[in-house]
Amino acid sequence: MELGFIGLGRMGMNMVTRLVRGGHRVVVYNRSPEKVREATGHGAVGSSSVADLVAQLARPRAVWVMVPAGAATQEMIDTVARHLDRDDIVIDGGNTNFHDDVRRAEALKQLGLRYMDVGTSGGIWGLQVGYCLMVGGDEAVFQHLEPLFRTLAPENGYGHMGAHGAGHYVKMVHNGIEYGMMQAIAEGFSLMHKSPYGLDLARIADLWMQGSVVRSWLAELAGRALSEDPALQKIRGWVEDSGEGRWTVQDAIDQSVPAWTITAALFTRFRSREDDSFADRMLAALRNQFGGHAVRARE
């Protein structure tokens, strides 16, 4: 099958490589020409602009956009749409808010274009093991694009979730769950790190992969990280969030669904970015005021 692909970051480049290996013709564009040259080295067809990319595709065209969510995605999709014709397809594989998908699908429909949202999970390991794909949009378009999904995903690793926005909605909740799972693993290993037993945490992570009820890919990655740096001394405890955890918590509020674990995990990420926060200083001051508890002077 033929596909235009825009965005050759860490995931995008690997996805293009997997598609080319699967026998698809992939025309690529990236704002950095070096990335385009790298992709052509993997067998893709290069282009110098969005217009050039579209010109090299046969109708009905399909163009996959894989750029950061928000303004960058909207700007790129607007640009792509100006060069497409009726019944061409725009695919957003980034981490877009599902509300934006619903609005964007209707706007593109008015132009005669078809739109699909594809929640994509797999990270930097997707080239090797495949990507889990959660797809939203029209069923007929999903079936038309299925050869691409089949190549990108492992066996049984893709599916049609429902109407426009459903793919990114499921991916949003997936990432919210991921926040909670990661937080539980981090807290458990932190507790063992402080135990009096001198535990080999990397060995425990590997042990838990052998039949334990908490075995998971995240636990496996924890073991990998601990093997490389047993005390995790080479990195700061600064944890970013991509936005999907926030959207999950907001949706839980909107739906009146208690999501304590995911919410706490999100707030912990916020907390990781504060050193000597005002809130902590206020807590120390209050303990000193009511109980005379000692406080430590700032250096």
Side-chain angles (χ1 to χ4, degrees), residues 149-164:
F149 304 145
R150 190 178 298 115
T151 298
L152 286 169
E155 188 176 0
N156 300 318
Y158 69 92
H160 183 239
M161 302 295 101
H164 295 112

Side-chain angles (χ1 to χ4, degrees), residues 63-268:
V63 179
W64 190 304
V65 176
M66 199 76 182
V67 301
T73 293
Q74 186 62 59
E75 178 183 345
M76 184 55 70
I77 287 178
D78 288 343
T79 301
V80 171
R82 287 196 291 269
H83 296 281
L84 296 180
D85 297 308
R86 177 171 293 275
D87 291 331
D88 287 346
I89 304 165
V90 178
I91 307 161
D92 178 6
N95 286 330
T96 289
N97 189 303
F98 70 97
H99 293 297
D100 290 338
D101 289 317
V102 176
R103 170 187 55 76
R104 189 176 293 145
E106 181 59 31
L108 292 175
K109 182 179 179 181
Q110 299 305 312
L111 301 174
L113 303 176
R114 296 178 288 180
Y115 176 78
M116 300 295 284
D117 54 281
V118 181
T120 307
S121 181
I124 60 175
W125 296 89
L127 175 60
Q128 177 182 343
V129 301
Y131 300 88
C132 180
L133 303 176
M134 296 145 270
V135 186
D138 294 339
E139 174 73 28
V141 182
F142 168 81
Q143 292 177 0
H144 174 73
L145 297 173
E146 198 165 5
L148 301 173
F149 304 145
R150 190 178 298 115
T151 298
L152 286 169
E155 188 176 0
N156 300 318
Y158 69 92
H160 183 239
M161 302 295 101
H164 295 112
H168 280 145
Y169 181 84
V170 173
K171 176 57 163 46
M172 176 192 77
V173 176
H174 164 283
N175 280 26
I177 293 170
E178 177 186 295
Y179 277 41
M181 292 174 66
M182 291 172 66
Q183 185 63 33
I185 291 170
E187 291 175 6
F189 277 91
S190 178
L191 183 61
M192 290 189 291
H193 177 67
K194 289 192 173 183
S195 79
Y197 293 106
L199 298 171
D200 184 339
L201 301 186
R203 179 174 177 273
I204 291 169
D206 181 66
L207 175 68
W208 284 356
M209 291 302 299
Q210 317 309 317
S212 164
V213 296
V214 299
R215 65 186 182 274
S216 66
W217 188 48
L218 288 173
E220 181 181 347
L221 293 178
R224 178 187 177 94
L226 290 164
S227 296
E228 295 170 353
D229 184 6
L232 302 181
Q233 294 176 325
K234 299 176 182 177
I235 59 175
R236 289 184 59 196
W238 176 288
V239 188
E240 278 289 2
D241 68 287
S242 63
E244 294 202 320
R246 303 184 189 212
W247 303 339
T248 304
V249 170
Q250 184 59 59
D251 191 61
I253 293 169
D254 293 343
Q255 304 295 338
S256 300
V257 173
W260 299 312
T261 301
I262 295 172
T263 302
L266 174 64
F267 285 2
T268 298

